[in-house]
Amino acid sequence: MKKVKASVMNAIHDLPLLVARDEGFFRDQGLDVEIVKTPGSGQRDSDHQALRANVFDRTMEALYDQGACDQFRMCEWGVMKRAVESNVAAGHRPAKIVALGSAMSSFAIVAAPKSRIYEPEQLKDRPIAVSPFNGSHFTTLKLLEGFLQREQIKTTFAGTMKERLEAVAKGEVAAASLMEPWISIAEKRGLRVLIESHSTRSEAAGDELDGPTLAKMFRAEAAAADAIQKNPERYARYLIDEAGGLLEVKDLKLERILNAPPEPYTRERFDRTYQWTLGWGLVPPGATYENTVDNRAWQ
């Protein structure tokens, strides 16, 4: 059995990995995958380690830097930032984008019911709580630039998903960007969803993890994605556990759980995503498709 260490954070991002482990799909591919769990912003009892502005100070990235895990996934733009910065600057373990990932995580911008905010345009120049350089941050920019000028979009860092909900309720921020299960928690509490979208994960790995092994991992994740889509209620417990008693399965919108097989990360996708992150000043210049992407699982 080939041994691989893969890190996970929030369940909505990593559900295919967890299901592939627990249903034996990795084992069916001849893999012994160890899950290295790291804190994210979505666990009810999470700390702020995953919210460090320097991505290399966060638990997951630090563990990868130290060689404690072989492979990880985050939002597409977060993996882009991590891969670009590790490849254009010295001092960190390089990571390559090795796939467009299997989880399409739901994100939504929510406002308090008494806020008199009913549409995205009303967030002009008003603080929106996000996680720095995480999916909630990038997705908020993506969602709102269709409604506002870039300089009118004001994000602020207000802690974990739980803390962001509290900040909205107290009127400390106009709105907050949340992912599941926290969107469903917000709806249960009567908050208003202004806009939402799915956000695709990307997969990253170092050069040490060979193509055939990655291909086996992705086949297992594809089998898991198929199982989840056929019966999302069966796997909702992973998200419910993360909410720590704030949600029941009946409160969770199962249609927000969306997964698909991993696929190659194309040059067109790289060019569009890199130029977008570069345009926002979120990544340094100098990256290329050749030094950032490696689709070796399909070669």
Side-chain angles (χ1 to χ4, degrees), residues 9-294:
M9 286 195 298
N10 303 298
I12 193 66
H13 304 335
D14 299 306
L15 194 55
L17 201 77
L18 297 169
V19 171
R21 176 197 63 186
D22 295 344
E23 296 287 10
F25 297 138
F26 284 130
R27 187 176 60 251
D28 293 344
Q29 294 291 329
L31 299 177
D32 177 10
V33 175
E34 177 184 344
I35 301 296
V36 180
K37 190 167 185 178
T38 60
S41 61
Q43 292 96 28
R44 184 182 177 183
D45 58 352
S46 182
D47 58 23
H48 285 191
Q49 188 70 22
L51 304 178
R52 297 287 184 90
N54 183 342
V55 296
F56 297 100
D57 289 340
R58 300 172 183 175
T59 307
M60 187 188 73
E61 287 89 335
L63 287 172
Y64 175 79
D65 240 12
Q66 298 160 11
C69 67
D70 307 305
Q71 200 268 336
F72 63 91
R73 71 217 37 79
M74 297 187 293
C75 74
E76 181 181 4
W77 309 287
V79 167
M80 178 69 73
K81 180 175 178 64
R82 174 64 170 80
V84 167
E85 293 190 5
S86 69
N87 283 296
V88 303
H92 295 287
R93 181 186 177 193
K96 296 286 182 67
I97 301 172
V98 293
L100 193 63
S102 53
M104 286 63 171
S105 306
S106 289
F107 279 92
I109 300 174
V110 305
K114 296 181 180 180
S115 66
R116 300 181 67 83
I117 298 174
Y118 306 103
E119 57 181 356
E121 287 91 342
Q122 291 179 289
L123 294 175
K124 175 185 174 182
D125 296 325
R126 304 187 70 176
I128 305 157
V130 304
S131 305
F133 308 125
N134 274 333
S136 65
H137 183 187
F138 300 121
T139 307
T140 294
L141 301 180
K142 274 279 190 178
L143 287 171
L144 290 184
E145 66 182 358
F147 295 88
L148 301 171
Q149 298 297 316
R150 285 191 170 191
E151 62 272 13
Q152 297 170 339
I153 302 171
K154 307 299 181 185
T155 59
T156 187
F157 305 145
T160 64
M161 298 281 164
K162 177 176 179 288
E163 291 168 334
R164 267 173 257 175
L165 270 180
E166 294 167 353
V168 171
K170 294 176 182 177
E172 296 171 351
V173 295
S177 179
L178 305 172
M179 61 193 177
E180 283 289 37
W182 295 92
I183 307 171
S184 291
I185 293 172
E187 290 179 317
K188 183 179 179 181
R189 294 180 179 180
L191 274 74
R192 180 179 299 120
V193 172
L194 303 178
I195 186 172
E196 67 177 285
S197 176
H198 283 96
S199 160
T200 306
R201 306 297 90 191
S202 283
E203 304 264 357
D207 292 338
E208 302 86 355
L209 197 56
D210 62 86
T213 300
L214 278 170
K216 292 177 181 179
M217 291 186 70
F218 296 155
R219 285 196 292 270
E221 288 182 43
D226 183 59
I228 296 165
Q229 293 313 116
K230 286 179 178 176
N231 189 1
E233 186 172 1
R234 175 175 177 175
Y235 303 105
R237 68 181 186 277
Y238 296 92
L239 278 71
I240 300 302
D241 289 348
E242 199 164 78
L246 297 178
L247 201 68
E248 299 178 40
V249 173
K250 66 180 178 62
D251 304 313
L252 188 68
K253 287 195 175 178
L254 297 175
E255 60 268 25
R256 288 197 179 111
I257 301 176
L258 181 62
N259 298 272
E263 59 185 49
Y265 201 82
T266 66
R267 184 181 295 272
E268 179 185 2
R269 185 101 182 193
F270 170 82
D271 289 341
R272 184 173 67 248
T273 303
Y274 179 57
Q275 292 303 319
W276 181 84
T277 50
L278 190 63
W280 272 99
L282 301 169
V283 291
T288 66
Y289 181 77
E290 285 73 21
N291 68 18
T292 309
V293 179
D294 188 341

